């Protein structure tokens, strides 16, 4: 009995050398298989073989995928082909993904601490931890490349524009306040720091975005951020400012 099933087939050319296996080749193979394709794999096992393939097909990179004899392209082209991403000329150069990841992780960590400490996940202390942990993670993002952060920060922060060194002080202040607030210690230090940097930050964002109508990238998640300056940046600073006031009021 002859099977009536005709499988979808794709040819994949990718670098598989002793010193280097192309990660995008592996991702392309995995994506094709998840889309139901039988992958005819063509490993390019030497630099000469890879260069010859590129010259033959007039391409600059590998991997390259062919479906029904037509070249689709590399991994990003495959994602576009399967409708997983928009065409490159329609893709936005901004992304909220880093901020979503940071706040989601901080929220889950706060719930975990609340559960461990009080036997329930939703507590007032848990909300305080959410804000303070968010501050710590955001500070880490800035401190990964302090020079890039301070440069981007100068685009909109009012104090940094008057005192340039403030751009390199800010992440340490945010980290210090976040750590002390997580510990519930030395409120007389953490609260004023959070109030000052949060207040200045909020005013700076309001002026840049809502008064001057400038379109800028936010330095809140680091100097190479694609997060647009706006509501998220304002929320970070308002929460920091409010947390400082709250902790100070509790201590008095």
């Amino acid at each position: 009995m002859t099977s009536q099933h005709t499988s979808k087939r794709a040819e994949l050319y990718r670098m598989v050398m002793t010193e280097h296996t192309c990660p995008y080749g592996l991702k392309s193979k995995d994506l094709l298989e998840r889309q139901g394709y039988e992958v005819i794999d063509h490993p390019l096992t030497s630099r000469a073989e890879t260069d010859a393939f590129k010259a033959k097909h007039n391409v600059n990179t590998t991997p390259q995928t062919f479906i029904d004899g037509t070249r689709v392209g590399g991994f990003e082209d495959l994602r576009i082909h399967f409708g997983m991403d928009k065409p490159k000329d329609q893709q936005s150069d901004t992304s909220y993904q880093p901020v979503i990841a940071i706040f989601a992780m901080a929220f889950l960590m706060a719930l975990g601490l609340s559960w461990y400490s009080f036997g329930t996940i939703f507590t007032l202390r848990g909300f305080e931890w959410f804000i303070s942990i968010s501050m710590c993670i955001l500070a880490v993002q800035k401190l990964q490349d302090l020079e890039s952060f301070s440069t981007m920060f100068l685009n909109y922060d009012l104090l940094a524009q008057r005192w340039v060194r403030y751009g390199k002080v800010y992440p340490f202040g945010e980290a210090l306040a976040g750590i002390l607030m997580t510990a519930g210690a030395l409120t007389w230090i953490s609260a004023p720091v959070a109030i000052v940097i949060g207040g200045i930050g909020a005013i700076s964002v309001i002026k840049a975005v809502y008064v001057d109508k400038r379109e800028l990238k936010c330095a809140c998640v680091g100097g190479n951020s694609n997060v647009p300056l706006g509501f998220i940046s304002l929320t970070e600073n308002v929460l920091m400012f409010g947390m400082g006031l709250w902790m100070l009021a509790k201590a008095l």
Side-chain angles (χ1 to χ4, degrees), residues 87-179:
K88 292 179 181 178
D89 60 351
Q90 298 178 23
Q91 293 179 9
S92 172
D93 63 348
T94 62
S95 172
Y96 289 98
Q97 184 173 334
V99 175
I100 294 171
I102 288 170
F103 284 122
M105 181 59 70
F107 181 68
L108 293 173
M109 290 177 68
L111 293 184
L113 283 171
S114 182
W115 192 2
Y116 175 78
S117 301
F118 305 108
T120 181
I121 58 176
F122 295 112
T123 63
L124 178 59
R125 188 67 179 118
F127 181 71
E128 294 173 353
W129 278 327
F130 164 61
I131 298 175
S132 63
I133 292 171
S134 296
M135 290 167 60
C136 292
I137 299 176
L138 288 165
V140 169
Q141 292 294 109
K142 298 173 178 72
L143 290 168
Q144 288 184 84
D145 189 340
L146 190 55
E147 194 65 41
S148 294
F149 163 75
S150 62
T151 300
M152 184 180 287
F153 196 54
L154 279 168
N155 284 321
Y156 59 89
D157 190 84
L158 297 174
L159 180 55
Q161 290 172 354
R162 290 178 174 273
W163 177 40
V164 174
R165 297 295 298 175
Y166 176 63
K168 294 186 176 181
V169 172
Y170 180 100
F172 291 98
E174 185 175 33
L176 175 65
I179 291 167

Side-chain angles (χ1 to χ4, degrees), residues 61-80:
T61 61
T62 59
Q64 293 291 327
T65 298
F66 294 78
I67 296 176
D68 296 329
T70 301
R71 186 176 70 85
V72 176
F75 176 67
E76 292 181 359
D77 298 308
L78 267 183
R79 288 184 59 85
I80 294 171

